[in-house]
Amino acid sequence: GNSVTQMEGPVTLSEEAFLTINCTYTATGYPSLFWYVQYPGEGLQLLLKATKADDKGSNKGFEATYRKETTSFHLEKGSVQVSDSAVYFCALGRGGSEKLVFGKGTKLTVNP
Amino acid sequence: GAVVSQHPSRVICKSGTSVKIECRSLDFQATTMFWYRQFPKKSLMLMATSNEGSKATYEQGVEKDKFLINHASLTLSTLTVTSAHPEDSSFYICSARDAAGFDGYTFGSGTRLTVV
């Protein structure tokens, strides 16, 4: 079945550091891939997505590229801010009534 | 963009009572909504898939009679926690998919349920 594996962290960085959160997936066919962010006490917000191989999703300085050859969708940001502190979830989905499959989440803490 | 409204954001109830949580898609029609439960410092656990006009599909291990799901319209799904107990205290989150096409899933802001 479909699955998502992401580094569990926690990850602690200083402000302006480079961020990478690894995400790999197992799936048949061509699912869409997502990164969601959850701030403390809140629901999930879509951060970025990619719907086909080699697509690059980007938003708020974050980027991730859909790599079919390595079945990966790693999240990167060149310079993190304190406000980026949150839990990040990688997920895959196909639409319809099919559920999203989530990774376990990675907690990021950025210190000033 | 698509917005999903979830209410209440926080609720405290006594053991043995029932609590209803609403999930509304505000600017799109959602044939399918999903209900998740999130334990502290854990990932989301899918509880059930809610389809408009039909019975919900529950994940293995989720009690159907305890977590009642109703998806009576294309914009509203409700989760009722019946005869709540302290172990039901958790963060519940809904999400919805736009029936017009697949553009991902939009999540509600979550409901913090505390059973005392």
Side-chain angles (χ1 to χ4, degrees):
Chain A
N2 299 335
S3 67
V4 173
T5 303
Q6 66 178 102
M7 55 187 287
E8 294 190 28
V11 175
T12 302
L13 296 173
S14 298
E15 204 164 24
E16 299 184 0
F18 184 85
L19 168 71
T20 298
I21 301 177
N22 290 337
C23 172
T24 57
Y25 69 92
T26 302
T28 54
Y30 302 93
S32 292
L33 301 174
F34 306 87
W35 276 100
Y36 285 88
V37 58
Q38 184 179 32
Y39 297 101
E42 299 183 11
L44 273 67
Q45 299 175 26
L46 178 65
L47 180 60
L48 53 85
K49 67 178 182 181
T51 57
K52 60 183 187 296
D54 299 325
D55 266 3
K56 177 186 283 188
S58 62
N59 185 27
K60 299 180 181 180
F62 291 90
E63 293 183 343
T65 300
Y66 190 147
R67 302 284 188 198
K68 189 157 181 64
E69 63 276 14
T70 54
T71 62
S72 65
F73 194 55
H74 304 322
L75 182 68
E76 296 182 337
K77 186 173 185 181
S79 176
V80 294
Q81 305 300 312
V82 173
S83 57
D84 294 327
S85 298
V87 180
Y88 294 81
F89 292 93
C90 185
L92 68 82
R94 298 181 187 280
S97 60
E98 189 169 320
K99 61 187 179 184
L100 272 177
V101 177
F102 283 95
K104 294 188 175 182
T106 302
K107 182 177 181 180
L108 170 67
T109 301
V110 180
N111 296 316
Chain B
V3 177
V4 171
S5 175
Q6 185 174 341
H7 290 283
S9 57
R10 291 177 178 273
V11 58
I12 301 173
C13 70
K14 293 183 178 179
S15 290
T17 62
S18 295
V19 174
K20 180 183 286 188
I21 302 170
E22 291 189 350
C23 181
R24 292 180 184 273
S25 56
L26 296 186
D27 50 2
F28 66 99
Q29 295 184 328
T31 53
T32 303
M33 290 186 176
F34 303 88
W35 287 96
Y36 295 85
R37 181 173 180 176
Q38 186 177 32
F39 294 96
K41 300 182 180 180
K42 297 291 185 182
S43 188
L44 285 77
M45 180 191 80
L46 180 66
M47 300 174 66
T49 302
S50 168
N51 297 298
E52 186 268 335
S54 64
K55 291 183 178 180
T57 302
Y58 289 82
E59 296 296 303
Q60 190 173 7
V62 177
E63 298 178 61
K64 300 178 182 182
D65 295 333
K66 180 164 190 62
F67 299 100
L68 300 179
I69 291 172
N70 186 305
H71 194 158
S73 77
L74 284 171
T75 59
L76 175 64
S77 177
T78 60
L79 167 67
T80 301
V81 182
T82 62
S83 187
H85 288 99
E87 57 264 33
D88 299 325
S89 299
S90 194
F91 193 59
Y92 294 88
I93 308 174
C94 69
S95 74
R97 187 188 74 80
D98 189 342
F102 180 53
D103 194 35
Y105 305 75
T106 303
F107 284 79
S109 55
T111 298
R112 170 69 62 192
L113 170 63
T114 303
V115 184
V116 298

